[in-house]
Amino acid sequence: MKIISINIARIRSYSLLALVVFLFSCNELDLQPLDAVIEDNFFKTEVDFKGATLASYSSIQSLYATTEENLFAANEWWKLTIMTEDGMSCEVGSDLYGYNKFRFLPEDNALSFIYTIIYQGVYRANKVLEKLDEENELTAEEKAQYEGEAKFLRAWFHFQSFKLWGGNAPLMEATLTDFSNLAAPNSTPEATIALILSDLQTAADNLPESWDDANLGRATSWAAIAYMGKVNLYNGDPEAAMPFFKNVYEQGPYSLMPDYASVFDYDFENNQESIFEVQFTGNSDDNGWVLDDFHSENFKATQGYNRGSDQDIEGGAIYRPTAEYAMASDAEDPRYAVNIYGEGDIYYDGYGDSFVIEDMSEFSDTGYLLKKYRGENIAKMGATNEVVDYNNERLFRYADLILLYAETLIDSDPGLATDLINEVRLRSYPDATPVAYGLSTTELTDVLRLERRLELAFEGQRYFDLVRWGIANETFDALDTGTNDNLWDSKTANGLFPIPQSEIERSQGVLNQLPGL
C-alpha cells in the first residue's frame, strides 16, 4: 500500500488547518462544531500526527499537479526541470518555448505555482514540528520519529528552493502567525544550507532505516544521509559530500536493479535502487481528472501524474527529445530505447492500444518521442480518464548517488571513481566498453558528466548538473539551433530562476527579486 492512499479525506483536511483556525477565531460566539477539525481537537494522537505528516508528502505530489481550480497547473515541475534540458525541445511558439530557450520571467505561472507548493510543504512540516512541543499522546520515541520525518520534509522542500533560487528565497523555520506580518524576507545561501543540513542530520538520527510495507515510501535515515551528500555537493563542497556518499555506498541497503528498464517499471516501484520517490496512489475515488491537492471536488491528495498530456501523441508530444541528445547516445545502449521512441518501435497510447511507429515525422519534428516511464508500462495503468498513470517518479536513485560519489573522488581517488562509473555504466549497458583506468582528471570528468547525462536523462537532473558544474552557459550557447535563441546571458542570472513577482508584490517590499532578474 502506498503511503498517500491512507485516509485521503483526512489528509486533505489537514492542509486547511490554518484557515479553519482563523475562521473560528473570528467567531465571538466561540461555538465549535462537533465534527470540525481544528487545532484544539487535533494533533493529539499518533494517527493525527501521521496524517499531518503525510500531508507534507502530498505537497511533493502536487509539484506534478494538473488543476484549474485555485491554482492553475499543468505539470509545472516538468517545465522547470525537463524542458530546460539541453536534449529537449518543443514546438516553436508554444507556451513552453520560453522555458526551452531559458527565458524565465518573474510572472511565469510555473514559478508561482512551484513556489506556492514548496512553501506549502514547508508550512505543513513546520506545523507538525510546532505541535510536537505541545500536549499530546505521543511517546518519546514517536515524537523523535515525527520530528525526524518533518525535518526531512522541510529540508527536502528547502533544497528544491535552493536549487531554483540559490538559497535566496525565504527560509521558513516556523509558521508565521502574526497576520500583520506574514511576509518572509530573502534568506542567504549560507543560512539555507545550514538549516537543510541540520534538519537532515536530525532525520538521519531519528528516522528508521526502513519501513514496513504499509508505510513503504516514507523517508528513511538512509535517505537523509544520501541527501546530506547531495546538498553538500550542490553547495560546491565535494569533500564534505564524499563521506555521506561513502557511508550509503558501503553500509546502506541499496543496490542497482539488474537492468535499466526495470528501474522505471510500474511493477517495481520503491525498488532496491530507490532512495526516495514520489508516491502516486491509485485511482482511489474513480476520478482520474482531479490531480491536485486543492480541488473542492473531493478532499484528497494527488492521485497520479498526467504524463500523457506531455508525452502521448494524442496530447501533441510537446516534450520532444532532440537529435543532439540522440547523437550523444550509443544506439546500442539499452538506455536509448528506454528513454526515447524510434521508428519501428511499438507505441503504447493512453488507451492501452499499440501500433508500430513507421514515420516519426508524423508525431515529432525532431524525429524522437519521449518514452521514459511509458512504453509498455502505459498498458498497465488503467486510469479512468486513460491519460493519467500512477507510476511513481523516481526522485533520487542509487545509480545517481554512485555517480555523485564518483564525482567527489575524481581528484583524490581516480581509480575508485573509474570503478564506480563502470558499475553504473555496465549495469545499464552490459556490452559497453568499460571506462579505462589512467585517464586524466579532465578526461575522467568528461566521462563522468556524459555518463550522468545518459543515465539520468529526462529525470530532472541535467539542468541542475550543468549549473553546478559551471558549464550551463557554454553548453546552451553551443546548441546548434541556427539562431541565437539559446544565448544564456540574456535568459537567467547564473542559473537561478526569478522569484515570482506575485510573491514580491504580496510582501510589500519585504521580499526582493534576485539581482539581474
Side-chain angles (χ1 to χ4, degrees):
M1 181 172 63
K2 297 183 183 179
I3 61 170
I4 209 63
S5 63
I6 302 172
N7 205 338
I8 297 296
R10 177 186 293 270
I11 293 173
R12 175 62 180 89
S13 66
Y14 300 152
S15 67
L16 302 179
L17 281 176
L19 177 60
V20 172
V21 172
F22 172 69
L23 291 177
F24 277 98
S25 68
C26 296
N27 186 349
E28 294 182 0
L29 295 177
D30 198 25
L31 298 178
Q32 178 180 319
L34 296 177
D35 62 349
V37 178
I38 63 174
E39 292 191 15
D40 287 344
N41 62 17
F42 195 72
F43 285 109
K44 301 297 183 184
T45 69
E46 192 274 338
V47 173
D48 294 340
F49 277 92
K50 180 177 182 179
T53 301
L54 296 184
S56 191
Y57 284 100
S58 175
S59 294
I60 300 178
Q61 296 177 319
S62 291
L63 290 172
Y64 300 84
T66 299
T67 176
E68 294 184 0
E69 185 164 324
N70 299 317
L71 292 171
F72 174 79
N75 303 348
E76 306 300 311
W77 188 243
W78 264 37
K79 294 177 184 178
L80 301 186
T81 61
I82 305 296
M83 187 51 74
T84 52
E85 289 200 18
D86 54 325
M88 186 61 72
S89 182
C90 66
E91 183 180 0
V92 175
S94 71
D95 292 341
L96 293 175
Y97 192 68
Y99 296 99
N100 187 237
K101 301 306 178 187
F102 325 111
R103 292 175 177 147
F104 310 112
L105 301 175
E107 295 79 14
D108 287 343
N109 183 71
L111 293 170
S112 179
F113 179 82
I114 296 304
Y115 185 100
T116 298
I117 299 303
I118 285 175
Y119 286 101
Q120 177 198 70
V122 171
Y123 170 85
R124 292 174 175 180
N126 276 333
K127 182 59 66 176
V128 171
L129 291 170
E130 290 164 6
K131 293 300 178 180
L132 285 172
D133 292 332
E134 298 181 7
E135 183 178 352
N136 55 63
E137 300 175 11
L138 269 60
T139 66
E141 182 178 0
E142 289 171 338
K143 286 184 178 180
Q145 181 249 294
Y146 281 112
E147 179 189 10
E149 196 165 15
K151 286 192 173 180
F152 175 92
L153 291 163
R154 184 171 72 176
W156 190 89
F157 284 108
H158 275 139
F159 182 43
Q160 309 317 306
S161 175
F162 178 84
K163 287 159 59 178
L164 296 174
W165 298 294
N168 299 290
L171 186 64
M172 306 301 295
E173 298 186 61
T175 60
L176 299 177
T177 58
D178 182 357
F179 282 93
S180 64
N181 185 25
L182 290 178
N186 301 80
S187 182
T188 65
E190 296 77 14
T192 301
I193 289 294
L195 181 63
I196 293 172
L197 291 176
S198 175
D199 280 353
L200 289 174
Q201 184 61 64
T202 300
D205 293 339
N206 292 356
L207 286 176
E209 294 188 2
S210 62
W211 293 89
D212 59 21
D213 289 344
N215 293 282
L216 195 63
R218 294 171 72 173
T220 66
S221 59
W222 285 114
I225 295 169
Y227 268 107
M228 290 174 79
K230 196 165 194 175
V231 169
N232 274 298
L233 192 58
Y234 270 62
N235 192 41
D237 194 344
E239 291 186 6
M242 188 271 291
F244 296 106
F245 294 143
K246 178 178 176 153
N247 186 8
V248 175
Y249 182 78
E250 295 184 351
Q251 306 295 329
Y254 309 108
S255 59
L256 295 174
M257 290 289 283
D259 60 86
Y260 187 72
S262 64
V263 174
F264 310 99
D265 195 315
Y266 178 64
D267 290 334
F268 296 115
E269 296 174 319
N270 300 302
N271 56 58
Q272 65 203 40
E273 190 169 326
S274 175
I275 295 174
F276 195 55
E277 61 187 62
V278 181
Q279 302 296 308
F280 290 128
T281 185
N283 207 13
S284 60
D285 70 351
D286 201 38
N287 187 347
W289 293 106
V290 181
L291 299 177
D292 62 86
D293 198 17
F294 313 98
H295 206 285
S296 61
E297 181 269 348
N298 190 18
F299 288 161
K300 66 180 182 184
T302 308
Q303 285 184 295
Y305 176 29
N306 191 3
R307 288 191 182 98
S309 66
D310 292 335
Q311 294 182 238
D312 283 350
I313 289 175
E314 291 83 0
I318 58 178
Y319 284 77
R320 304 167 182 176
T322 64
E324 191 272 340
Y325 162 76
M327 289 186 292
S329 306
D330 186 336
E332 300 302 317
D333 187 338
R335 292 175 292 197
Y336 184 91
V338 171
N339 292 333
I340 57 176
Y341 284 105
E343 291 184 356
D345 285 352
I346 299 176
Y347 180 88
Y348 294 85
D349 67 15
Y351 297 91
D353 298 324
S354 63
F355 60 89
V356 175
I357 299 175
E358 297 180 352
D359 183 1
M360 185 66 75
S361 64
E362 294 182 25
F363 312 112
S364 171
D365 59 0
T366 68
Y368 305 94
L369 289 170
L370 184 57
K371 185 180 179 183
K372 200 162 209 172
Y373 286 106
R374 307 289 279 180
E376 294 181 1
N377 280 338
I378 189 62
K380 304 174 185 177
M381 302 304 173
T384 299
N385 67 358
E386 299 176 330
V387 174
V388 179
D389 70 49
Y390 308 115
N391 195 353
N392 291 351
E393 191 85 0
R394 280 59 161 172
L395 295 175
F396 196 176
R397 298 196 283 118
Y398 186 52
D400 182 5
L401 181 136
I402 293 175
L403 293 175
L404 293 174
Y405 182 25
E407 186 177 333
T408 68
L409 295 169
I410 287 178
D411 289 327
S412 61
D413 193 343
L416 178 55
T418 302
D419 288 337
L420 294 169
I421 296 170
N422 278 327
E423 183 175 352
V424 173
R425 176 175 173 79
L426 297 178
R427 181 287 301 269
S428 297
Y429 186 6
D431 295 332
T433 301
V435 177
Y437 294 101
L439 298 180
S440 68
T441 298
T442 299
E443 291 170 333
L444 192 55
T445 296
D446 289 342
V447 167
L448 180 281
R449 291 176 176 178
L450 176 60
E451 202 61 35
R452 282 190 63 80
R453 181 181 194 184
L454 301 177
E455 178 69 25
L456 303 169
F458 316 124
E459 294 182 46
Q461 306 285 346
R462 175 68 174 172
Y463 177 88
F464 299 107
D465 276 349
L466 294 174
V467 170
R468 68 185 181 81
W469 290 333
I471 61 171
N473 192 324
E474 61 189 77
T475 300
F476 291 124
D477 285 358
L479 292 179
D480 183 13
T481 64
T483 70
N484 291 326
D485 277 342
N486 294 85
L487 287 180
W488 177 264
D489 58 5
S490 63
K491 311 304 182 289
T492 71
N494 299 319
L496 300 182
F497 294 77
I499 292 176
Q501 186 63 32
S502 58
E503 298 296 331
I504 292 174
E505 293 173 356
R506 188 176 293 118
S507 76
Q508 297 182 338
V510 175
L511 182 64
N512 297 309
Q513 186 57 269
L514 304 185
L517 296 176

